[in-house]
Amino acid sequence: MLTKTKIIALASIGLTQFSGYVQAETTLNVVSAGGQNMVDYVKTYLAPKFEASHPGVKINIVGTGPGDAGSHKILEKLSAQKNSGLEHWDVDVAVVHQKIGGEMVADGLLAKYRSDIKTGTLVTRDSAENALGVDVNGYVMPMFHSQTAIAYNSDFIKTPPKSYDELVKWTQDNPKAFGYNGIKNGMSGVSFVTGWIYAYGTEAATLSSAPYNKDIATSWDKAFSELKAFNKNITFTPGNAGTLDMLNRGEIFMGPVWVDMFYSWKDQGKIPPSMKLSLIAPGMPGQPMYYVTPIKAENAQLAREFIEMATSPDIQAEGIVKRFNWYPGIDAQHVQGNLDKATWTKLFAEITPNDLSQYGKSFPIAPYFDDIKEGYERKVSN
């Protein structure tokens, strides 16, 4: 027979276990496009912090793969749930690429939440307002910004080109010393070609916003002809990593790369300290990844709190800048106070916040982007 004390003790254990079970039932579903590093970032860094501040909430993170294809899988899932008439959708937070983020807004899949979170006022870049021609103001918070720039070996180049014009002149004086990967072996080459069109075809502001005018592309013949002549003086590389490899081996002395990969390789000692960056005029494209939340997310308030935490200055400093060498999603001045001097200097000494503001461009809207790639294939590669 149980004593009164034992009965009370068992009841107490049971209530504790039951209480814990109920709290653990709250699951915040986070779905991320991008590489495995994106999934690992949420799983190993953001989730423990959020769960610690929200007892009883568990983060369930799922990755959908790199590139726009990974983001498109998320769009397809949300579209299917919308079409099925479900009252609640099973995605609370999604991390998507810029292009697909715009399509999601246009399709009525996302909640307008940025004014509901404290960090919403910390971002002013145009990429928080416009996603390749689609007005996304209020619907997205940039997680980080990737940017391309020109890497160069400062042991041999004391005055790097500051513009596409100066780069053309440099390659004429230094044949085969500049390398890039064309448009089929990675986005750094695509970015370089897009910047070429911004310089010699049509300005970035026009090509990065709607409406689309097919006639504009017909004015790029001279730009493509000059790019074909430029390519005769350069070395083609097998990709972004290939460009860095060839820079490291001294096979080329300059080439376009993604900034975050450049600094990661530098941190790992895979390229020497003498390698530096320059963001040339009139600019080169980069792109953000967005935090979004579906219009019928089951845990909408928790989703807002998660994004608010993930875009706070201290998390952006430690998680985005220090861990990945990405540019922060919120404006840089809000992050500076949370970074040591060495980290801040590393990321902004060669490409300053002012350089990013002037020369950090968006990719063009999809039809112009297709025109650029198709024109390169027909008039430069042939």
Side-chain angles (χ1 to χ4, degrees), residues 22-41:
V22 169
Q23 289 178 344
E25 279 191 333
T26 304
T27 299
L28 190 73
N29 289 310
V30 180
V31 182
S32 179
Q36 183 61 36
N37 62 337
M38 301 282 287
V39 176
D40 291 343
Y41 174 61

Side-chain angles (χ1 to χ4, degrees), residues 284-322:
M284 294 175 65
Q287 62 179 347
M289 292 291 283
Y290 290 143
Y291 284 117
V292 300
T293 181
I295 195 170
K296 292 195 174 183
E298 184 167 7
N299 299 295
Q301 180 55 35
L302 278 176
R304 284 160 170 72
E305 293 173 14
F306 177 85
I307 297 171
E308 184 176 273
M309 182 203 74
T311 54
S312 60
D314 57 329
I315 296 295
Q316 287 273 296
E318 175 64 30
I320 296 297
V321 177
K322 293 194 74 170

Side-chain angles (χ1 to χ4, degrees), residues 112-191:
K112 194 170 188 178
Y113 72 96
R114 202 165 76 219
S115 61
D116 298 333
I117 60 176
K118 295 176 183 176
T119 53
T121 59
L122 304 184
V123 57
T124 59
R125 285 184 63 151
D126 59 355
S127 58
E129 313 289 323
N130 187 299
L132 310 188
V134 178
D135 181 358
V136 296
N137 186 17
Y139 293 92
V140 304
M141 272 294 287
M143 176 186 185
F144 66 87
H145 283 85
S146 291
Q147 178 64 50
T148 51
I150 303 297
Y152 66 96
N153 190 328
S154 64
D155 283 342
F156 300 94
I157 303 168
K158 302 303 181 186
T159 307
K162 295 296 185 184
S163 68
Y164 271 85
D165 284 349
E166 291 184 13
L167 175 62
V168 172
K169 177 66 168 57
W170 189 88
T171 59
Q172 291 169 347
D173 295 338
N174 301 275
K176 306 298 182 183
F178 176 90
Y180 82 104
N181 51 294
I183 66 167
K184 288 187 173 179
N185 293 312
M187 285 297 290
S188 58
V190 175
S191 173

